[in-house]
Amino acid sequence: MQMEQLTALCKRRGFLFQSSEIYGGLNGFWDYGPLGVLLKRNVKDAWWNDMVMNHNELIVPNGAPATYEMTGLDCTIIMHPQVWKCSGHYDLFHDYMVDCRESKKRYRYDHVIGRFVTGKKRGEEGAPSVEMSVFVTTMETENTQVALDEAALKFFGLRKKDADSLQWNGNIQSISKLPSLENVVAPDAKHVGTLTEPREFNLMFKTVIGALGSDDDAAFLRPETAQGIFVNFKNVCDSTRVRVPFGIAQVGKSFRNEITPRNFTFRSREFEQMEIEFFCHPNQSPAWYKYWRDRRFAWYVEMGLSGERLRLREHDADELSHYSCGTADIEYQFPFLQAGEYGELEGIAHRGDFDLRSHIEGKLVKDGNQLVLEKLPDGQPRHRGSGKDLSYYDDLTKERFIPHVIEPSAGADRATLAFLCEAYKIDTAPDEKGQPQERVYLKFHPRLAPIKAAVFPLVKKDGMPEIATEIYGELKKNFSTFYDDKGAVGRRYRRQDEIGTPFCITVDGQTVQDETVTIRDRDTLEQIRVKKDELLNELNERLKK
Ligand code: GAP
């Protein structure tokens, strides 16, 4: 599937629109349309139901049986600025960017990729050609070499037919791997060496609190939902009867001022996260880490992502954050990536006691194998913590400890995008006249499908609309249902296939005689007849699968 086909379908059928489109759009911001909002809500509901409500499992980490509890929170987007100072986001949450002096464009340093190429550059105004070796670049794209060929031809002033005169050297790599940017031709530049040296850029959106607010009142839009959970750990322990091990879940908006938002909703500036912070005894945390890693992977498979395109990747030791003894990413082969490349859907991290300790003591840094309070030259903490006791007392074992945290952190928009990519299918199916016709359909898991069933009267007469309207009224009390009586029934089926409706119910002449209707299955195209009275049960059973 080409990404363009999916983005066109998303716009045409109302899944996703560019934000503020009538004003030319706003880069990195997306609106969910009438069907998109249903799809994304289903993704979030499935996650909440499966992770938070359906938690009563008996687990055996390290051989010791344990049930665990899950609870939820809904925290504010703007929090006390000290939260971000202690968490490390204020000092450390940045990417590197480079600016192009010629095109005035800005790029994320590690996202500009390219390859060395040697060729003869046509001289300006009749001057002789000169042989040059440069590093031509592009931004990450589906077919990088094609983009680089074009960039090289443009730079050397050559035509397509002269492409063979170019000599490519080495592999495609990011400019961040080069010793210098001197030989680089920036993605939108005509000249070589126009990129500035990389500079840090904090990804948090800044705002000011209060009408008379000055810079001292600066606050930030949260870049993750996780911190709201950590700072409420004590409130949750004190106000509920949860016992460690337990998890707190939150779904909500996060904001990152990404330097180069791209690839549809994959990297946006405003997005939604579905995060769990799972608190457990330090001795049991490696086992709980494995539990969550495997459980989260299995969830994506259950929801319809195929094994081929989905993978679980354990981080190497040198990739781990300073506080982590294990991190895995769940990754998906999105169609906009190059062959063999994967994009992150979710990270599952063993965070030790880093977060709770940071909010007790202040910003921590690594000193050898220890996490210690970062101090200014005068000995004062760089960022002072809350000083509150965020430890946990186990009244059964009489032990007090700071729980370790396992964090499965997923993106609702990335998951929604992966489900859309995976669902997009093209096959050939007979039309009304029995002729084979290409069919585009979205093969969503029934739990995720925006519309679960569509009801059609075969024709608008002979009592059929009355029966169909009655069925529609009944079904929509139970799940999202669509009514359509316009145009040929074959076309109505295709329209539902294209938005992923698993079942179409048709009221026809026979319904008037014997009170049966047909159910047509989106994937197999099979049609069965059921009694009108048994329709709801039959659909409920099928939607569970
Ligand atoms: N609390 C940990 C945390 O926020 P992260 O890996 O930075 O970890 C978690 O983010 C998930 O949030 C990612 O796996 C991804 O699904 C989603 N995410 C992060 N940045 C995003 C962006 N700019 N646009 C869309 N989703 C994003």
Side-chain angles (χ1 to χ4, degrees):
M1 187 257 300
Q2 299 291 313
M3 203 55 204
E4 295 76 46
Q5 295 172 298
L6 181 68
T7 48
L9 185 148
C10 283
K11 164 126 206 257
R12 186 160 35 84
R13 300 306 310 269
F15 281 95
L16 276 156
F17 308 126
Q18 213 184 357
S19 164
S20 324
E21 195 188 89
I22 59 166
Y23 289 104
L26 190 60
N27 197 9
F29 296 89
W30 294 93
D31 294 336
Y32 285 81
L35 289 176
V37 72
L38 293 173
L39 174 63
K40 186 169 158 191
R41 180 162 300 198
N42 290 344
V43 171
K44 292 186 287 182
D45 284 352
W47 181 88
W48 188 269
N49 272 312
D50 296 350
M51 298 300 125
V52 185
M53 311 308 285
N54 179 18
H55 63 271
N56 226 355
E57 290 178 69
L58 186 69
I59 310 299
V60 189
N62 279 356
T67 51
Y68 67 92
E69 290 184 75
M70 293 292 294
T71 181
L73 272 179
D74 185 6
C75 307
T76 57
I77 282 168
I78 295 178
M79 300 171 71
H80 195 294
Q82 201 63 16
V83 169
W84 308 111
K85 292 184 176 163
C86 291
S87 69
H89 287 84
Y90 185 79
D91 296 327
L92 301 172
F93 193 56
H94 53 242
D95 277 334
Y96 285 94
M97 58 169 193
V98 284
D99 288 301
C100 176
R101 285 182 284 258
E102 182 188 311
S103 68
K104 308 289 177 229
K105 291 205 174 160
R106 176 167 287 177
Y107 309 97
R108 207 172 116 175
Y109 185 39
D110 56 336
H111 283 179
V112 183
I113 49 175
R115 200 174 165 196
F116 281 105
V117 61
T118 306
K120 284 217 162 105
K121 183 163 168 63
R122 187 177 297 168
E124 278 166 29
E125 291 169 12
S129 299
V130 253
E131 184 161 292
M132 288 182 80
S133 187
V134 292
F135 190 83
V136 288
T137 60
T138 179
M139 298 301 290
E140 286 169 332
T141 110
E142 211 173 317
N143 198 336
T144 309
Q145 189 55 53
V146 172
L148 291 177
D149 285 339
E150 277 171 26
L153 290 174
K154 201 162 135 207
F155 174 75
F156 287 102
L158 300 174
R159 300 221 187 100
K160 227 177 181 170
K161 64 181 174 56
D162 303 321
D164 288 349
S165 69
L166 295 172
Q167 197 191 321
W168 292 95
N169 307 308
N171 295 327
I172 295 172
Q173 55 176 321
S174 158
I175 57 166
S176 60
K177 301 273 183 315
L178 300 177
S180 111
L181 299 180
E182 249 171 69
N183 272 347
V184 172
V185 181
D188 303 285
K190 289 196 190 113
H191 299 97
V192 64
T194 59
L195 287 179
T196 59
E197 284 307 305
R199 281 183 289 151
E200 282 178 9
F201 176 81
N202 194 298
L203 299 182
M204 282 196 294
F205 278 99
K206 215 176 187 180
T207 185
V208 169
I209 298 176
L212 300 173
S214 67
D215 243 17
D216 296 342
D217 305 297
F220 302 93
L221 306 194
R222 68 181 176 198
E224 60 170 27
T225 62
Q227 297 304 323
I229 300 180
F230 296 126
V231 301
N232 276 298
F233 172 73
K234 192 167 158 42
N235 279 337
V236 173
C237 287
D238 291 350
S239 61
T240 66
R241 307 181 91 193
V242 285
R243 300 181 54 82
V244 165
F246 74 94
I248 306 179
Q250 176 164 215
V251 179
K253 290 261 177 157
S254 292
F255 300 81
R256 297 184 188 178
N257 203 354
E258 298 283 357
I259 300 168
T260 44
R262 59 212 332 266
N263 291 333
F264 212 12
T265 56
F266 182 81
R267 183 167 295 108
S268 314
R269 289 179 165 141
E270 175 174 342
F271 55 96
E272 256 182 298
Q273 290 185 308
M274 309 184 289
E275 297 202 287
I276 295 170
E277 305 303 328
F278 189 79
F279 301 94
C280 57
H281 191 283
N283 291 346
Q284 292 199 339
S285 59
W288 282 113
Y289 163 67
K290 289 201 187 84
Y291 166 75
W292 279 106
R293 183 198 61 188
D294 298 344
R295 179 144 192 238
R296 290 300 306 142
F297 185 80
W299 186 79
Y300 288 100
V301 177
E302 277 162 35
M303 288 295 113
L305 296 191
S306 75
E308 280 160 49
R309 292 212 189 154
L310 191 70
R311 76 172 183 191
L312 184 72
R313 186 179 69 83
E314 281 282 353
H315 284 207
D316 296 333
D318 59 346
E319 274 184 279
L320 293 180
S321 314
H322 50 284
Y323 45 75
S324 178
C325 7
T327 295
D329 285 343
I330 298 174
E331 299 179 326
Y332 183 73
Q333 235 174 18
F334 285 96
F336 47 76
L337 299 172
Q338 286 186 68
E341 275 191 11
Y342 287 79
E344 179 187 320
L345 281 181
E346 169 161 353
I348 299 99
H350 179 298
R351 297 179 64 92
D353 62 4
F354 173 78
D355 304 279
L356 290 178
R357 262 187 69 198
S358 303
H359 289 301
I360 301 170
E361 298 172 32
K363 189 187 162 207
L364 302 175
V365 284
K366 199 171 178 190
D367 181 6
N369 283 335
Q370 303 284 311
L371 282 171
V372 297
L373 189 63
E374 188 182 7
K375 297 218 172 113
L376 295 168
D378 63 5
Q380 292 298 310
R382 169 141 179 76
H383 296 302
R384 203 178 287 279
S386 68
K388 299 279 187 294
D389 180 5
L390 304 182
S391 65
Y392 174 80
Y393 180 69
D394 189 326
D395 52 4
L396 297 179
T397 61
K398 313 284 180 224
E399 190 187 358
R400 182 170 287 284
F401 57 92
I402 299 178
H404 274 196
V405 166
I406 311 301
E407 179 190 69
S409 170
D413 306 85
R414 284 201 191 165
T416 304
L417 184 58
F419 291 127
L420 269 166
C421 293
E422 183 81 18
Y424 191 97
K425 302 269 180 272
I426 300 178
D427 69 0
T428 306
D431 67 6
E432 269 120 291
K433 294 179 196 128
Q435 294 304 309
Q437 284 284 344
E438 185 180 276
R439 175 177 82 125
V440 172
Y441 67 111
L442 292 179
K443 194 177 175 183
F444 289 128
H445 188 290
R447 285 178 72 188
L448 301 183
I451 308 280
K452 310 295 182 199
V455 183
F456 311 148
L458 185 65
V459 288
K460 280 200 256 182
K461 56 182 185 184
D462 301 336
M464 290 179 219
E466 289 77 6
I467 302 174
T469 315
E470 185 198 316
I471 293 174
Y472 167 62
E474 239 357 87
L475 295 187
K476 76 175 179 165
K477 284 187 213 151
N478 296 274
F479 39 72
S480 54
T481 310
F482 189 79
Y483 183 84
D484 191 3
D485 59 8
K486 290 175 204 73
V489 76
R491 214 162 307 137
R492 284 181 258 166
Y493 283 142
R494 297 286 170 128
R495 283 184 60 77
Q496 293 305 314
D497 289 345
E498 206 187 28
I499 61 169
T501 306
F503 303 109
C504 291
I505 290 92
T506 305
V507 171
D508 55 16
Q510 196 176 327
T511 315
V512 183
Q513 310 289 321
D514 65 5
E515 304 219 314
T516 62
V517 294
T518 61
I519 304 178
R520 172 200 183 257
D521 184 297
R522 173 197 67 200
D523 304 336
T524 62
L525 300 175
E526 265 171 23
Q527 299 203 20
I528 58 157
R529 286 201 91 87
V530 295
K531 282 266 178 216
K532 205 176 73 175
D533 295 348
E534 288 158 18
L535 178 63
L536 182 60
N537 277 348
E538 180 67 33
L539 288 175
N540 274 331
E541 279 309 305
R542 286 169 177 252
L543 286 168
K544 271 193 224 152
K545 287 176 192 159

